[in-house]
Amino acid sequence: MSVNYIFEKHLIDRQAEAEEAMLKEFEAGNYTIQNPLVKYNLYEVSPLSAVICFETKKEVAVSVTVLGKTKEANIGHTFPKAKKHVLPIVGLYSNYSNKVEIRAYRGESNVITIDVPDVYDGENPIYHMKTTPEYLQDNVIMVSPAGLQLSSAFDYAGDARWHMNVACVFDIKRLRNGNLIMGTHRLLKMPYYMSGLYEISPCGKVYKEFRLPGGYHHDEFEMEDGNLLVLTDDLESDTVEDMCVLIDRNTGEILKTWDYKKFLNPETVSHSGSWSEEDWFHNNAVWYDKNTNSLTFSGRHIDSMVNIDFDSGELNWIIGDPAGWPQDMVDKYFFKPIGSNFGWQYEQHANVITPNGDVMCFDNHHYGCKQVDQATKNLAAKDNYSRGVRYRINTEDMTIEQVWEYGKDRGAEFFSPYICNVEYYNEGHYMIHSGGIAYDKDGNPSEALGAFVKDVGGTCRSITVEVCDGKVMLDLEVPGNYYRAEKLKLYSDGINLELGKGQVLGVMGHTKEFDTDIPMENSGEMLPESCNARIEEEIDRFTFFSRFEKGQMVMMLLEQGEEVHRYFISTTAVSYLAMCCGTFLDSDERNTRTSVNKTGLSGVYDVRVIIDDKKYETGVKITC
Amino acid sequence: MLKEVNSEEFKELAGKGLVLADFFSTTCGPCKMLAFVLKDVEKEFGDDLTILKVDFDQNKELTAEYGVSGYPTLILLKDGTEMKRLQGLQQKPVIVNMVKKHI
């Protein structure tokens, strides 16, 4: 057969089987504090974690501590009293014989060894971490993927203490219940539209996958009631990254949808330097502000942060350089700068509303001007800068004042043309993550986005800084680009591990088809071996991987009698102006991946492929 | 009408009525697919629309004159004036809607 086929069980199913097997083994054995059952990386995606099981004669609280390379690097947690203990171990070191202390409250203790292989395959994931144990304590700085480097978290000493071995891309946040929320690793559509979100434990246990018809990209936000705002797409639309939904945390049901074309006209918005007709807004952040019951969206390709009313969806205000916008919009929605030190943000990311109503963001400052001004004002990477910035706005007299910034003085060394974030901890206490820094092959600052840097022989890096009252308290520098950074503790006061099978919630959308028929008879020939094709089927979709030569016309067909579904496969290199996450780009441009959701399909379909003037068999049938 | 033309023919026909120019390359998969789409579009509009296919690689001066930097690129002209431009492979409804707005 010229096409390899595999059925891949959902991660949640695989984890449930592994957990069940562990619990059976636990029940069958006599595991004590002195002799615990240890399952390294039980949930398969978090290779600096383990789960241990043992029984105590009495109900007793138990503390576990991953003993650090220094005492200050210990990471531990005390779990509530129980007789049967099934405990997550997080914060293990890579390539290290880890010592983990298990101590019963006022009782016995033991130190076990958990050997962990080099999860970085010989690569050093960090350049430096400059901070103190007093400042960072047992927090870690977690960074999420924008390229080939996957998620990691670093302690005060710069040691990696958490890592994921699958590409859960974009934002990572801690939920109020202690779990993490992050993008799934199931790619829906190139270049980076994912199936939805995972609610997941730091030890890798997925409790829920929230699937979305339009997939997930860039950002999500937990509402006070636990429901989630998620950035998504309308797969039937000709535009992308201009939609947000509110989903029910328990059911995954979509409760509310905001289509940005209802409050902005894509035809009249003013363009950023990276604007394209399809990706006219490029939404990279959402924030809900309870005080004003409003949503703020960051639109990279309009150089603006846009605020709307949560209930009505009506436009309230826009923060951005008004150049190029229609005058009636400028008069009604834009702010007038006041104060002596003010600068607009360009192609910004990660807007945040502070408790007093100020608006913060990471100002990438890409191009340093709007598209209409590029002929005269464009800033090259070597002359540019990025910064964290905080604006104070007055929505009565529509004035805006810049009240804080960090990064401008560092110039090009802190310049990221894409991605990045800021975090507000308290007044004067912030994180500024410049995760998209690039240099060309000669070591000069580059505007190339991380995914394309290696194509020109360059390098990329991320710098994460925390400042408190103007003083730098932490400086982390790592190789590679990282979408965002987040400071958190690996153990939480909420859920650390809950047993039982996770849930797959929500629905996948209908995959957009190609209308036009190419009249062609079946050749009966199998797809050529040179295509190196494979099909990976999952519960709710399948993905066709194949290699084609540039210029070939390729269409995948699902055929069931007279019923035909067509999916065009482009064999032309795409020139992307935005590539916030290049994790899924193939180094060989001939390789394609086409994912089709089963939603809307019913029955058994033959998968066939048209290449130019011939229709080939794959020999694979997909049951929907 | 759907016709492949050279620069001279294009200049002769582009200024007359509603013209959809398709700048394509023979080395481009999406361009080949668009050819099938445009055949369907032609059926939809009949004599109300002239579709002119221009080989990007063979007509460099013309592509430069129209500022076409990639293929496929569709340019809708009305009496020689550009009304709308679409880049990349498009589905039939998108093209039909664009044309209908200017017919």
Side-chain angles (χ1 to χ4, degrees), chain A residues 317-331:
Chain A
W317 48 254
I318 298 173
I319 294 178
D321 182 345
W325 285 85
Q327 192 58 45
D328 61 326
M329 293 281 289
V330 175
D331 294 342

Side-chain angles (χ1 to χ4, degrees), chain A residues 238 267 277 512-520 550-555 568 570-572 612, chain B residues 26-34 36-37 40 71 84-86 89-94 101:
Chain A
D238 296 318
E267 302 282 331
E277 192 156 318
K512 194 170 184 174
E513 299 181 27
F514 206 85
D515 299 336
T516 303
D517 182 35
I518 305 174
M520 203 169 288
K550 292 269 167 272
Q552 287 184 320
M553 183 187 72
V554 182
M555 181 174 273
F568 178 75
S570 180
T571 56
T572 299
D612 289 331
Chain B
T26 54
T27 61
C28 152
C31 299
K32 294 174 186 172
M33 188 65 234
L34 186 60
F36 286 95
V37 178
D40 276 1
Y71 41 77
K84 183 74 181 172
R85 178 177 297 225
L86 296 172
L89 176 61
Q90 307 293 331
Q91 295 247 42
K92 182 184 166 191
V94 175
K101 281 182 189 169

Side-chain angles (χ1 to χ4, degrees), chain A residues 32-49:
Chain A
T32 65
I33 284 184
Q34 301 306 323
N35 175 37
L37 175 63
V38 179
K39 291 292 177 187
Y40 165 69
N41 191 16
L42 177 70
Y43 298 108
E44 76 176 75
V45 296
S46 181
L48 298 182
S49 79

Side-chain angles (χ1 to χ4, degrees), chain A residues 141-187:
Chain A
I141 303 294
M142 191 174 274
V143 287
S144 55
L148 295 178
Q149 290 84 0
L150 303 179
S151 302
S152 283
F154 303 95
D155 67 10
Y156 88 91
D159 284 307
R161 305 299 293 273
W162 181 85
H163 178 62
M164 286 193 78
N165 57 17
V166 290
C168 290
V169 300
F170 291 122
D171 186 45
I172 300 176
K173 285 192 177 81
R174 168 146 268 151
L175 297 164
R176 285 190 196 83
N177 65 4
N179 294 332
L180 304 177
I181 189 92
M182 63 179 73
T184 70
H185 73 296
R186 301 205 298 149
L187 181 71

Side-chain angles (χ1 to χ4, degrees), chain A residues 220-285:
Chain A
E220 68 286 345
F221 184 95
E222 185 185 22
M223 301 289 281
E224 204 167 70
D225 60 5
N227 289 339
L228 297 167
L229 290 165
V230 190
L231 301 187
T232 188
D233 284 330
D234 175 0
L235 293 186
E236 295 296 324
S237 164
D238 296 318
T239 58
V240 295
E241 301 179 35
D242 52 3
M243 182 169 274
C244 178
V245 290
L246 177 69
I247 60 170
D248 186 295
R249 181 74 167 279
N250 296 314
T251 64
E253 182 191 356
I254 292 176
L255 304 173
K256 201 167 167 61
T257 300
W258 293 270
D259 178 352
Y260 306 172
K261 283 177 275 197
K262 292 195 173 154
F263 54 81
L264 285 175
N265 181 354
E267 302 282 331
T268 62
V269 297
S270 178
H271 304 167
S272 83
S274 298
W275 176 90
S276 71
E277 192 156 318
E278 180 189 45
D279 194 6
W280 66 278
F281 191 91
H282 193 92
N283 188 197
N284 57 43

Side-chain angles (χ1 to χ4, degrees), chain A residues 18-19 21-23 25-27 29-43 47-55 64 66 85-90 92 97-102 110-116:
Chain A
E19 190 178 275
M22 176 192 70
L23 293 174
E25 195 176 343
F26 180 29
E27 288 299 322
N30 178 27
Y31 297 101
T32 65
I33 284 184
Q34 301 306 323
N35 175 37
L37 175 63
V38 179
K39 291 292 177 187
Y40 165 69
N41 191 16
L42 177 70
Y43 298 108
L48 298 182
S49 79
V51 176
I52 60 170
C53 309
F54 55 88
E55 202 163 351
V64 296
V66 177
H85 306 265
V86 180
L87 307 178
I89 305 297
V90 288
L92 298 172
S97 193
N98 288 270
K99 303 295 179 191
V100 180
E101 183 188 77
I102 311 166
N110 183 26
V111 175
I112 62 168
T113 300
I114 302 178
D115 291 318
V116 175

Side-chain angles (χ1 to χ4, degrees), chain A residues 249-448:
Chain A
R249 181 74 167 279
N250 296 314
T251 64
E253 182 191 356
I254 292 176
L255 304 173
K256 201 167 167 61
T257 300
W258 293 270
D259 178 352
Y260 306 172
K261 283 177 275 197
K262 292 195 173 154
F263 54 81
L264 285 175
N265 181 354
E267 302 282 331
T268 62
V269 297
S270 178
H271 304 167
S272 83
S274 298
W275 176 90
S276 71
E277 192 156 318
E278 180 189 45
D279 194 6
W280 66 278
F281 191 91
H282 193 92
N283 188 197
N284 57 43
V286 55
W287 190 276
Y288 173 74
D289 179 43
K290 188 182 173 187
N291 292 325
T292 54
N293 190 38
S294 69
L295 296 171
T296 305
F297 301 116
S298 167
R300 179 182 188 247
H301 291 180
I302 58 170
D303 292 319
S304 297
M305 295 181 276
V306 177
N307 181 272
I308 64 164
D309 183 82
F310 180 87
D311 293 319
S312 70
E314 285 182 14
L315 190 56
N316 289 325
W317 48 254
I318 298 173
I319 294 178
D321 182 345
W325 285 85
Q327 192 58 45
D328 61 326
M329 293 281 289
V330 175
D331 294 342
K332 196 169 178 185
Y333 299 113
F334 283 73
F335 292 89
K336 292 183 182 63
I338 57 172
S340 56
N341 181 30
F342 184 88
W344 292 116
Q345 85 287 351
Y346 295 98
E347 299 207 343
Q348 78 293 321
H349 282 76
N351 52 216
V352 169
I353 308 293
T354 68
N356 74 342
D358 288 353
V359 183
M360 290 177 67
C361 69
F362 187 91
D363 171 16
N364 299 76
H365 211 258
H366 193 200
Y367 305 112
C369 64
K370 297 198 70 73
Q371 197 180 64
V372 290
D373 293 325
Q374 274 188 287
T376 55
K377 295 181 179 173
N378 186 61
L379 283 177
K382 67 180 177 53
D383 304 316
N384 212 338
Y385 60 86
S386 294
R387 60 182 183 151
V389 64
R390 180 172 175 176
Y391 296 118
R392 184 151 299 152
I393 56 171
N394 184 330
T395 52
E396 297 297 318
D397 64 9
M398 294 302 282
T399 56
I400 184 168
E401 185 182 4
Q402 183 178 301
V403 294
W404 170 84
E405 66 176 335
Y406 174 89
K408 185 176 179 179
D409 295 344
R410 296 184 66 164
E413 66 152 354
F414 202 63
F415 172 62
S416 286
Y418 76 129
I419 61 175
C420 313
N421 68 307
V422 290
E423 295 284 323
Y424 169 94
Y425 299 129
N426 210 330
E427 287 304 301
H429 191 190
Y430 314 111
M431 172 196 279
I432 312 98
H433 169 70
S434 188
I437 300 165
Y439 293 93
D440 66 18
K441 63 180 173 44
D442 300 318
N444 301 309
S446 170
E447 280 186 273

